[in-house]
Amino acid sequence: GYFTPKRRAPSGVVQGDSRTRIFAADTFDGWVTSVVYPNGMADDWQAKDDSVRNTYAHRLRAYLGAGYVMNPRNTAAMNPRRSPAAYQTFMVAQAEIIARTFNALKPGAYGVVNTKDTPLYAFTNDTMDQLRDAGFIEVQKAITVAARGNRHGSAKSRDVRAETEDLILCRKPPF
């Protein structure tokens, strides 16, 4: 669900930078995540009016106040769809996060990663490559789910967005 003024984060949520060491090695039995998509809907867009746009920052401002500004190290603030260079910066950050996650998992632990391709990038395949590079094995698209999305944004891009999201299954080697 979305953050709204009436909701609070669960008590087990830890706020921090996923690229720094938050958890000790071999801590977790499994991992489930929906990574930031490089599609512009996770960006730090600031409405100049009362228009509706379902972005990460827009929803957080509803919860934390209009003055909320994302930390520039937040992958959602990197605007990865803006250019190939911005996408590469974003992917370097995601690779760091995946490597930290790999380290925090116990040997043999499974992970499920939710991704979505964009009109500009084959993001699911890029993410699968990063999982393999980090050391995960058995990396495969486990399931494709119909997910039309919100269709907000420019008329040029809203009708060419992927109609599905992919769930990637991966495993840390058991040794």
Side-chain angles (χ1 to χ4, degrees):
Y2 299 108
F3 285 106
T4 63
K6 296 176 185 169
R7 287 191 166 175
R8 299 270 181 227
S11 61
V13 171
V14 176
Q15 184 175 356
D17 186 335
S18 296
R19 287 174 280 174
T20 60
R21 188 172 186 163
I22 298 173
F23 300 105
D26 303 330
T27 300
F28 296 99
D29 295 316
W31 169 51
V32 177
T33 189
S34 180
V35 296
V36 172
Y37 303 158
N39 61 3
M41 294 311 289
D43 62 20
D44 198 19
W45 178 74
Q46 300 249 7
K48 304 291 188 234
D49 54 27
D50 62 354
S51 63
V52 174
R53 185 165 167 188
N54 188 21
T55 67
Y56 180 80
H58 197 68
R59 291 293 182 169
L60 281 174
R61 283 188 197 98
Y63 179 68
L64 299 172
Y68 171 77
V69 176
M70 276 194 279
N71 183 310
R73 285 183 52 87
N74 185 325
T75 53
M78 293 182 174
N79 296 321
R81 70 185 176 111
R82 302 287 183 221
S83 70
Y87 183 67
Q88 287 308 312
T89 299
F90 169 81
M91 292 304 286
V92 166
Q94 179 170 284
E96 292 174 18
I97 294 165
I98 290 171
R100 295 286 185 196
T101 301
F102 181 87
N103 185 58
L105 291 170
K106 292 178 181 176
Y110 284 92
V112 178
V113 182
N114 181 52
T115 65
K116 184 172 188 166
D117 288 338
T118 74
L120 297 177
Y121 304 110
F123 183 59
T124 296
N125 287 337
D126 290 349
T127 301
M128 290 173 68
D129 289 343
Q130 287 188 324
L131 291 164
R132 287 184 194 100
D133 290 348
F136 285 99
I137 60 174
E138 302 175 21
V139 177
Q140 61 183 319
K141 275 191 221 178
I143 193 168
T144 298
V145 179
R148 185 172 182 269
N150 295 312
R151 298 296 189 250
H152 294 160
S154 72
K156 177 180 148 185
S157 68
R158 73 174 154 238
D159 294 327
V160 295
R161 294 193 179 126
E163 298 284 336
T164 61
E165 294 188 13
D166 296 304
L167 298 179
I168 302 167
L169 180 63
C170 58
R171 185 178 185 207
K172 184 173 181 176
F175 41 86

